[in-house]
Amino acid sequence: MSYTQRVLDSLKAKYPYQPEFLQAAEEILTTLQPVVEKEPKYEKYKILERMCEPERTISFRVEWVDDNGEVQVNKGYRVQFNSAIGPYKGGIRLHPTVNEGVLKFLGLEQILKNSLTGTPIGGAKGGSDFDPKGKSDNEIMRFCQAFMIQLHRYIGATIDVPAGDIGTGGREIGYMYGAYKRLTTRYEGVLTGKGLNYGGSLARTEATGYGTVYFTDAMLKDRGDSLKGKVCAVSGSGNVAIYCCEKLIQLGAKPVTVSDSTGTIYDENGIDVAVLKQVKEVERARLTRYAELVKTAQYTPVEQYPAGKHQVWCYKVDCAFPCATQNELNEEDAKTLLANGCKVVAEGANMPSTLGAIKQFLDAKIAYGPAKAANAGGVATSQLEMEQNAGMTAWTFEEVDSKLHTIMTNLYNNVAATAREFGVEGNLVLGANIAGFRKVADAMIAQGVI
């Protein structure tokens, strides 16, 4: 039995109740066999076993009081997965589905993603099963303050630098940062995604969506093609999806779909980003509101989706950008996309495609950009925010955007070159996993068994 299979079997035996983590581990480990065969040192030093176990997992109770004076209790976590190449770095997710297994999958992916950016940051993830939806600003503030009372003792500008994620936007980061500053009396770059008037970086809001498109642009140029004129399906309607749509339009493509937890919008004329921003960023409304404002938009509620499929992937498009959440694109969705002529898939969300869907894309040999490579622009720009905070300076939007573009282009080139090195040109899943892994693994070996 191969080294990678032994490690995977061991993880399955220990964590049968963490399906998302096991899915991420399987996707990574099954592609690392060529490099562990080529470099026996990784098995000698038990690097896979060490990398698949977090250095530290912190769980805590979060107690807060709602607007009715009732005490509420949530579960909070921080999974500090790997610090071999830099301080822990990864978002805070606030969503009812958050549990240790979900955060371990995100943290494991984050190790390799952060490595691929070429910047000195390790991998982590955190969050809570708290749901911001339907909560007042004061309730969200009280929760964030209570969350930070527990978390602040484990983080710091050179220790662990959390960021936003699903459910954690600029508002939540602001409340958390205020609490951290009050608790520690330190004004430092401990959180990223901050407001521009207290240490935030221009282009951070746009970074993940823009970065996914920059990666796709590099991927297509390497194949003698471009985004110009391409019709694109985009899922989600948060930061990633909004700014993915915006950058696609800037590069001459036409996004025709967006979605949220209640339904999907399709408009053959293209998504109106200004209206989408108004609905989601200002009004914080559902996409039914978008359909009211844009008369050419067709809205399909979740209840009317085809059985076993997501409506957003049912249209004839050239490119697909899953930008919502994990496992939103399954094997049947992948078959539908391919049958409708889709030739490009780039993942803006974390692990949005199931293993079956990924196999469909790889077998079809389309241009497929996996999440840990294609959506690394967000964390890359978070590191640029850390850099600005450390230097007590601020860069222009153009400076940050230019650095982001360079990072994503270099990232693609590294991933593509690694795939070629191992004889599977175009397989960016293997290329991303091996390229990210080698940097972290070599750093772990150099630092000894500690």
Side-chain angles (χ1 to χ4, degrees), residues 283-294:
E283 299 181 22
R284 298 182 186 271
R286 300 295 190 185
L287 285 176
T288 48
R289 175 62 175 156
Y290 182 97
E292 292 172 4
L293 296 172
V294 180

Side-chain angles (χ1 to χ4, degrees), residues 302-321:
V302 169
E303 298 77 26
Q304 295 178 19
Y305 284 8
K309 294 183 181 181
H310 194 312
Q311 181 67 35
V312 78
W313 311 125
C314 291
Y315 304 99
K316 185 174 178 60
V317 295
D318 304 303
C319 312
F321 293 85

Side-chain angles (χ1 to χ4, degrees), residues 212-366:
T212 300
V213 179
Y214 288 149
F215 181 92
T216 307
D217 187 49
M219 184 166 61
L220 286 174
K221 284 179 177 175
D222 197 28
R223 291 160 171 77
D225 201 353
S226 76
L227 279 164
K228 191 172 180 62
K230 297 289 192 294
V231 177
C232 306
V234 178
S235 68
S237 51
N239 273 356
V240 183
I242 290 170
Y243 293 100
C244 177
C245 288
E246 182 169 273
K247 184 54 68 174
L248 284 171
I249 292 167
Q250 290 175 9
L251 295 186
K254 184 170 71 171
V256 294
T257 68
V258 286
S259 64
D260 64 14
S261 59
T262 63
T264 293
I265 289 287
Y266 170 75
D267 191 339
E268 65 179 358
N269 297 321
I271 296 300
D272 188 323
V273 173
V275 174
L276 185 61
K277 288 181 181 180
Q278 173 65 29
V279 170
K280 287 297 181 178
E281 294 181 342
V282 179
E283 299 181 22
R284 298 182 186 271
R286 300 295 190 185
L287 285 176
T288 48
R289 175 62 175 156
Y290 182 97
E292 292 172 4
L293 296 172
V294 180
K295 300 307 179 185
T296 55
Q298 301 173 23
Y299 177 76
T300 304
V302 169
E303 298 77 26
Q304 295 178 19
Y305 284 8
K309 294 183 181 181
H310 194 312
Q311 181 67 35
V312 78
W313 311 125
C314 291
Y315 304 99
K316 185 174 178 60
V317 295
D318 304 303
C319 312
F321 293 85
C323 294
T325 190
Q326 68 262 22
N327 291 327
E328 59 172 303
L329 198 165
N330 63 32
E331 186 172 356
E332 291 306 310
D333 293 322
K335 290 177 180 177
T336 300
L337 282 169
L338 294 171
N340 284 334
C342 182
K343 301 294 185 186
V344 180
V345 176
E347 297 180 337
N350 290 304
M351 201 172 74
S353 303
T354 65
L355 293 174
I358 293 171
K359 185 176 187 304
Q360 290 291 320
F361 298 144
L362 293 178
D363 288 349
K365 299 189 183 303
I366 65 167

Side-chain angles (χ1 to χ4, degrees), residues 360-404:
Q360 290 291 320
F361 298 144
L362 293 178
D363 288 349
K365 299 189 183 303
I366 65 167
Y368 170 59
K372 67 176 63 65
N375 80 5
V379 73
T381 306
S382 281
Q383 195 280 334
L384 297 179
E385 182 177 331
M386 293 166 63
E387 196 173 331
Q388 291 170 79
N389 291 166
M392 298 293 283
T393 188
W395 301 331
T396 66
F397 185 98
E398 290 74 21
E399 286 177 301
V400 178
D401 192 35
S402 176
K403 291 175 185 289
L404 170 63

Side-chain angles (χ1 to χ4, degrees), residues 1-7 32-33 35-50 437 441 445:
M1 184 184 296
S2 69
Y3 174 37
T4 54
Q5 189 60 52
R6 290 201 310 275
V7 174
L32 292 181
Q33 187 58 32
V35 74
V36 297
E37 287 180 356
K38 183 178 180 180
E39 298 282 357
K41 63 182 179 180
Y42 297 135
E43 183 171 3
K44 176 184 176 182
Y45 289 103
K46 301 292 190 292
I47 292 297
L48 294 183
E49 292 93 332
R50 292 160 62 190
F437 168 79
I445 290 172

